[in-house]
Amino acid sequence: MTRHALRWIAAAALAPSFYAQPAATLADQYRETATKLIDASLIDQGGMEKLSYLCDRIGNRLSGSPGLEKAIAWAAAQMKADGLVNVATPPVKVPHWVRGNESAVILEPVARPLTMLGLGGSVATPKKGVTAEVVPVSSFEELDKKGREIVQGKIVLFNVPYEGYGRTVQYRASGPSRAALLGAVAVLVRSVTPISLQSPHTGALEYNPGAPRIPAAAVTIEDATLIQRLTDAGNTVKVHLEMEAQMLPDADSANVIGEIPGSEKPEEVVVIGGHIDSWDVGAGAQDDGSGIITTLEAAHLIVKLGLHPRRTLRVVFWTNEENGGAGGLAYREWVGDQVGNHVAAIEMDGGAEKPTGFGISGRGDSQTMLGKVRDIGKLLERIDAGSIQSGGGGADIAPLMKDGVPGLAVRTVGTHYFDWHHSRADTVDKIKPEDLRANIAAMAVMAFILADMPDTLRPAPAATK
């Protein structure tokens, strides 16, 4: 070996950046696996078949209803059929609200029926109903300005145009109690939706413990604006409202859990899922049948392709998200000290329109965490679902996130979700099969890599014995 060669070797050792191979990125490591998962997802038929069965044969699934319990039994059997193991249905006590018969009609200045849905958790009207003048308001500020002198003994109509769900839903949630504190005898709420074809949208209200409980119902955009026009024209609008709603004692229900056990670190868990309950109208196809079926079918394809993640991948169908959140809280209690071994949680509860990517939230080094997930997101660019942004989670994984578990959420274009949300129109025909398949692909890739990659978004301690 010449002196020149020795100097060359020494120089190479001192400058490894010029000669050493760069560490493989997650996208590099998992490109072949992601391709297999995406290919399988894009020709999948099982997801749509399962969603159709859930929605068409079982139907809506409000907490406490026979439909929900039938869905839970079906889901547990389906998880076993799809190759998941350790399938369990841990019991959960849930609220049991029953709608009963309900109706509303304008009596003056014209006689016309109103298309309505009682709000979840509402009390009933007296047996003969409530008849009163309607006072429309467009904001809480306008309500407070009118005050008790005008509101006392009236039905308040919150005729608030849709300005995004988070901004507008407050009138459904807290409007009844705000109006009751000023003496209102009932509340009507313009449905929280950007568009309506005489379709009312229900949803839960939250009674303030310090306010009288008064009956509350959603009306369509068309009917809310009709009442507004009649009032603006100088008319006294009188409405008769009848509701038989009642809250029964808490009912027995359950979460549904199934797993793909980890091959190397089974004590570490990535949990994915959505909520199995729905409102008592429609079929809960987008909200949230599409979420639970997407996660189940993603796991099924992982099993079908013979893939074995290092960590346990756990599919959870939470119960009672719509009117209580008992399932998410019960799951956190069920895992106990093992919550420290949850390294990530993905919730899908925004419908199955065309996916665009994921949102993520977590403690610690958020930029490093975001960078890792964005690396995985590169593998989803093929299906235009590679956008990874800050801000993830959901109602059912919120209890886990409070204990430091990184939370992710599927993001979609969200073009029409709130057109159908909580209404009779939330049926299977609103799901495009190609969109459902793309969501399955995105979920399968993200979930598998989070459960298999060398490190984690959140370092997990040793399992508690």
Side-chain angles (χ1 to χ4, degrees), residues 93-418:
K93 282 286 189 180
V94 299
H96 188 188
W97 179 80
V98 177
R99 179 178 302 281
N101 294 320
E102 55 185 16
S103 64
V105 60
I106 298 176
L107 300 176
E108 298 176 9
V110 294
R112 185 170 300 184
L114 295 172
T115 305
M116 54 80 76
L117 282 173
L119 296 184
S122 175
V123 297
T125 62
K127 286 188 177 181
K128 294 184 178 180
V130 170
T131 302
E133 180 184 343
V134 178
V135 177
V137 297
S138 60
S139 66
F140 286 136
E141 291 75 18
E142 185 178 356
L143 174 70
D144 293 338
K145 186 176 180 180
K146 288 184 181 298
R148 178 173 290 273
E149 183 178 350
I150 294 177
V151 173
Q152 179 81 37
K154 309 294 196 329
I155 297 173
V156 169
L157 165 65
F158 287 102
N159 180 31
V160 183
Y162 185 83
E163 295 181 347
Y165 189 72
R167 183 180 178 88
T168 313
V169 74
Q170 61 182 319
Y171 293 95
R172 186 194 78 205
S174 60
S177 288
R178 293 282 294 264
L181 287 170
L182 296 176
V185 294
V187 158
L188 301 176
V189 178
R190 172 171 164 164
S191 289
V192 184
T193 178
I195 192 170
S196 172
L197 296 175
Q198 281 289 11
S199 298
H201 294 234
T202 190
L205 56 75
E206 298 173 8
Y207 283 126
N208 183 328
R213 295 190 170 203
I214 60 175
V219 295
T220 65
I221 293 176
E222 293 89 344
D223 286 344
T225 53
L226 168 63
I227 293 171
Q228 186 72 60
R229 289 194 305 273
L230 291 171
T231 302
D232 290 346
N235 300 287
T236 296
V237 178
K238 187 173 290 187
V239 162
H240 179 74
L241 174 68
E242 291 188 17
M243 296 173 60
E244 292 181 349
Q246 57 180 321
M247 186 68 78
L248 301 176
D250 286 355
D252 293 324
S253 189
N255 290 328
V256 188
I257 299 172
E259 296 179 338
I260 302 174
S263 60
E264 296 179 15
K265 300 179 178 181
E267 74 281 359
E268 295 183 7
V269 176
V270 172
V271 61
I272 62 175
H275 65 86
I276 190 169
D277 63 305
S278 75
W279 280 105
D280 58 334
V281 294
Q286 290 280 5
D287 184 20
D288 187 29
S290 64
I292 61 173
I293 296 303
T294 291
T295 57
L296 176 59
E297 196 64 7
H300 178 217
L301 292 178
I302 290 170
V303 171
K304 189 175 180 180
L305 291 171
L307 300 173
H308 302 284
R310 289 183 173 93
R311 300 171 191 86
T312 295
L313 183 60
R314 179 179 293 162
V315 179
V316 180
F317 295 173
W318 289 279
T319 194
N320 182 233
E321 187 273 346
E322 291 293 4
N323 63 335
L329 293 171
Y331 177 78
R332 171 62 189 87
E333 183 177 353
W334 183 76
V335 300
D337 293 341
Q338 298 293 323
V339 69
N341 295 322
H342 280 59
V343 298
I346 309 175
E347 182 171 345
M348 183 169 172
D349 187 17
E353 295 181 83
K354 180 178 172 55
T356 60
F358 290 81
I360 177 169
S361 295
R363 299 176 186 171
D365 188 349
S366 59
Q367 288 305 309
T368 297
M369 189 182 301
L370 191 61
K372 290 178 181 179
V373 180
R374 281 179 172 165
D375 199 9
I376 300 170
K378 293 176 183 177
L379 297 169
L380 299 175
E381 291 175 354
R382 169 184 167 189
I383 56 172
D384 299 322
S387 175
I388 309 297
Q389 304 295 329
S390 296
D396 286 316
I397 63 174
L400 300 177
M401 294 176 68
K402 288 181 180 178
D403 281 292
V405 180
L408 293 89
V410 179
R411 290 188 171 186
T412 75
V413 293
T415 306
H416 295 292
Y417 178 70
F418 288 108

